[in-house]
Amino acid sequence: MSEAMMIPVLPCVSLPETLAFYGALGFEVTHQQTAPYVYAATQRGEVQLHFMGLKGLDPTQAYSTCLAIVPEVERLHEAFAEGLRRAYGKLPISGLPRISRMKKGQSRFRVVDVAGNSVIFIRRDDDEGAAGSRSDSRLGKALRAAARLRDFKNDDAAAAKVLDVALARNGPDAPLERARALAARLELAVALGEQARARALRDEIDAAPLSDEERAQLRPQLDAADALDRSQR
């Protein structure tokens, strides 16, 4: 007996624009029609997405969401990001369309297309725990909460607020953990266009009492912020 298969059918306003977007992600059109109704089928590897025309759809008010369970997500995100940069001139991380950012070890990311549909690509062995700190300290909990808001809900502003509140509280923070929170906030400042805030955060990180080994541990976070800054220029 063959395995069952389910294929999501997502609404779209403009089929050509939708197919162009998914074409940038490497999806191939396997079927397309305009009569008796607008419909198209696409496929990338084992992931299939179908689309139907829907008059009156407001992409800013769209809530259609589907999950794509895939073997890995980091290389897939890289391929998507490269295709979107070619298509749009920079990596779209806000507005429509957009793609959420990707951290080393992160187990999922979200793509929102031109019609407002969300497709969440999830690594098959997802445990949702790799993206944030495992510390139970105040800053550790804030880092995990901010990571969920940033990576899974695509809400940079809310993630920034969580970190701002935690960083503003007086307490005996471990220097490296505070630096990790500052680095996470730095990336959010870059994503939100907060240039002055980003400079202040960078200065505080540079002045932090960290050993060379601790700075090496922090380097991937800072590199991610730098890469995001370059992609937004």
Side-chain angles (χ1 to χ4, degrees), residues 92-104:
I93 60 171
S94 62
L96 294 176
R98 64 181 181 270
I99 184 172
S100 62
R101 300 186 301 285
M102 191 74 190
K103 295 275 192 173
K104 184 69 176 176

Side-chain angles (χ1 to χ4, degrees), residues 163-187:
L163 290 175
D164 283 340
V165 170
L167 287 166
R169 292 177 179 170
N170 294 322
D173 298 328
L176 180 57
E177 191 165 48
R178 182 171 180 83
R180 289 189 189 281
L182 290 169
R185 183 62 179 89
L186 171 62
E187 185 194 6

Side-chain angles (χ1 to χ4, degrees), residues 199-216:
R199 287 193 295 269
L201 289 161
R202 178 73 73 169
D203 289 343
E204 185 174 351
I205 293 169
D206 290 343
L210 301 175
S211 67
D212 290 343
E213 181 180 352
E214 288 172 331
R215 290 197 180 277

Side-chain angles (χ1 to χ4, degrees), residues 57-220:
L57 174 66
D58 180 357
T60 64
Q61 300 298 318
Y63 298 101
S64 299
T65 303
C66 67
L67 308 179
I69 310 302
V70 293
E72 65 82 33
V73 290
E74 291 188 22
R75 290 191 301 274
L76 184 63
H77 186 277
E78 289 176 2
F80 283 6
E82 182 180 350
L84 291 173
R85 286 192 188 97
R86 286 198 302 266
Y88 295 94
K90 65 177 184 178
L91 189 65
I93 60 171
S94 62
L96 294 176
R98 64 181 181 270
I99 184 172
S100 62
R101 300 186 301 285
M102 191 74 190
K103 295 275 192 173
K104 184 69 176 176
Q106 189 174 311
S107 58
R108 61 176 65 188
F109 68 91
R110 179 190 302 263
V111 167
V112 183
D113 68 20
V114 292
N117 301 304
S118 291
V119 183
I120 304 173
F121 292 85
I122 303 175
R123 193 179 63 217
R124 187 165 287 123
D125 61 349
D126 175 25
D127 62 6
E128 292 194 13
S133 167
R134 296 186 183 277
S135 168
D136 287 329
S137 69
R138 169 175 51 83
L139 283 179
K141 292 177 180 178
L143 277 166
R144 288 197 298 276
R148 287 192 295 269
L149 289 165
R150 178 195 65 211
D151 302 331
F152 303 154
K153 294 182 179 296
N154 203 37
D155 194 338
D156 288 341
K161 185 175 181 179
V162 166
L163 290 175
D164 283 340
V165 170
L167 287 166
R169 292 177 179 170
N170 294 322
D173 298 328
L176 180 57
E177 191 165 48
R178 182 171 180 83
R180 289 189 189 281
L182 290 169
R185 183 62 179 89
L186 171 62
E187 185 194 6
L188 290 166
V190 172
L192 293 167
E194 302 171 339
Q195 296 179 356
R197 178 74 164 128
R199 287 193 295 269
L201 289 161
R202 178 73 73 169
D203 289 343
E204 185 174 351
I205 293 169
D206 290 343
L210 301 175
S211 67
D212 290 343
E213 181 180 352
E214 288 172 331
R215 290 197 180 277
Q217 293 179 44
L218 196 64
R219 190 72 254 166

